[in-house]
Each structure stands twice: as structure tokens, then as C-alpha cells.
Amino acid sequence: MKTDIVLAGVGGQGILSIANVIGLAALKENLYLKQAEVHGMSQRGGDVQSNLRISDTPISSDLIPFGGADLIVSLEPMEALRYLPYLSETGWIVTNTNPFVNIPNYPEMEKVMTELAKVDNLVAFDMDKVAKEIGSPRSSNMVLLGAASPFLGLPKEIIEEGISGFFASKGEKITDLNLKSFEAGRIEAEKFIKGKAFNV
């Protein structure tokens, strides 16, 4: 078992929280884990990116080579596009379609989504909208984790345990909202996997 993941987004969106939850789940499964992070300026909306490698055998490097990622997981569509060169031929992109417009020359969303749609294995929907519908606008990162969960190679229940452990200090209500967000994201991803939906 081996899963190489590029996590991408904008500072303050909760990308590194996703990495922490996946890390907790991988450790519960007694898997090897390596992580490399690049932090942007969160207060200025800088990009945040993390390489996360999970395996049942020892991992020599914490960096994912070009064409080596099984999964690009992004809370921002342009950031998903930025890391496209890392995606393997059979890899999946799981991305939010709601842009975080943090630069004056942000490209037209239609162009961004047209490029992303060229990837055969794509899960793309408005994760912010799903989080708001649940009543937890700040948990779109857990919607993203839920959407990515079918491709992680980790049992759903173990990821949920990771979420519960990560948010335990925030209280039961916050934990439950994040678990609901995770489940909602997973349900949306399953629609794409079955070829029943494509929502931009």
C-alpha cells in the first residue's frame, strides 16, 4: 500500500488540519508516514502546500516527484491547477470549485475549470456551499477530506477516529459538525466515482 498526496490551498483554509487528521489515521493503521510542508503567508492568503506520503513499507523521501502523486487535494481550484505536474497518469484531483481570489490577476474560473476538466479522474464541487448547508461554514476542509477519503487507502472509520481525536479539545458540537462535513464530502465524491454527477 502506498499513497502519495499533494495537499494544496490558501493560508487559513485548514489544509494542514487535513494533513494532521490523515496523519493520525495512518498512525492508527501502523503505517509509515512522511510529510513536507510549504507555508505561505496565511494572513495574506499565500499558498500552502504539503506533501504527504503514506506506505506500509519504509519511505525514503518526504518529497513527491513530478508525475508521482496519486492524489491532489485542494481547497482552491487554481492551486489544484498549479500542482497538476505532480499528478500521476492514474491519479485523482479532488478540489473545491469556489475560488479564493487573492491576487489581482486571478484567471477566469471558466479557464481554470476547463483545464482541470482535462483530467480524467476529477472530483470537483463547491465545498464551501456544502459546509454552509450543514451549518458549519468553516468546515469546508473536512468536506474536502471526505471527498478525498475514498482514494486515501485508509478505512473510513479510522479517518473518522482521526477527526474525533483532532477536534476533541474543541468540544462535542464542533467535532460532530466536522464529522458531518466529512460524511457530506464523501457522499459527493461517490457520485463522481459512479459517474452520476459533475458539478462546477
Side-chain angles (χ1 to χ4, degrees):
M1 177 268 179
K2 177 188 76 67
T3 308
D4 287 343
I5 309 157
V6 173
L7 295 168
V10 172
Q13 287 189 305
I15 284 294
L16 300 181
S17 297
I18 295 175
N20 286 328
V21 170
I22 294 173
L24 288 170
L27 292 175
K28 282 180 178 287
E29 287 290 281
N30 295 313
L31 296 170
Y32 292 92
L33 174 74
K34 287 224 173 185
Q35 182 179 359
E37 297 175 3
V38 177
H39 298 267
M41 295 290 287
S42 60
Q43 67 269 34
R44 295 186 182 178
D47 67 293
V48 176
Q49 180 258 336
S50 177
N51 282 196
L52 195 60
R53 311 190 79 180
I54 305 169
S55 178
D56 55 6
T57 58
I59 304 165
S60 57
S61 172
D62 54 3
L63 295 176
I64 299 170
F66 286 126
D70 301 296
L71 194 56
I72 293 175
V73 179
S74 181
L75 258 175
E76 210 292 320
M78 189 183 73
E79 293 301 321
L81 191 59
R82 183 198 301 269
Y83 295 103
L84 192 58
Y86 286 89
L87 191 67
S88 72
E89 290 183 2
T90 57
W92 282 80
I93 293 179
V94 181
T95 185
N96 190 4
T97 58
N98 191 34
F100 188 105
V101 181
N102 57 343
I103 54 174
N105 59 340
Y106 193 100
E108 292 179 16
M109 267 305 298
E110 184 178 352
K111 292 180 179 178
V112 172
M113 293 311 303
T114 296
E115 288 302 310
L116 287 173
K118 293 177 182 178
V119 177
D120 291 333
N121 299 328
L122 176 68
V123 173
F125 61 94
D126 189 339
M127 298 178 186
D128 297 334
K129 180 182 178 183
V130 172
K132 287 175 184 175
E133 288 172 349
I134 291 167
S136 183
R138 295 183 64 185
S139 66
S140 55
N141 60 335
M142 290 299 110
V143 176
L144 175 61
L145 177 57
S149 64
F151 315 107
L152 295 175
L154 296 166
K156 175 178 179 261
E157 297 77 15
I158 297 297
I159 302 172
E160 289 173 330
E161 286 181 27
I163 293 170
S164 295
F166 184 76
F167 288 103
S169 64
K170 303 284 187 182
E172 186 176 347
K173 182 179 179 181
I174 297 297
T175 300
D176 287 347
L177 283 170
N178 279 283
L179 286 168
K180 286 179 182 177
S181 298
F182 170 83
E183 181 63 25
R186 188 176 177 94
I187 289 169
E188 288 297 319
E190 287 171 351
K191 294 177 185 177
F192 285 83
I193 294 168
K194 294 174 183 175
K196 292 183 178 179
F198 184 83
N199 302 319
V200 174

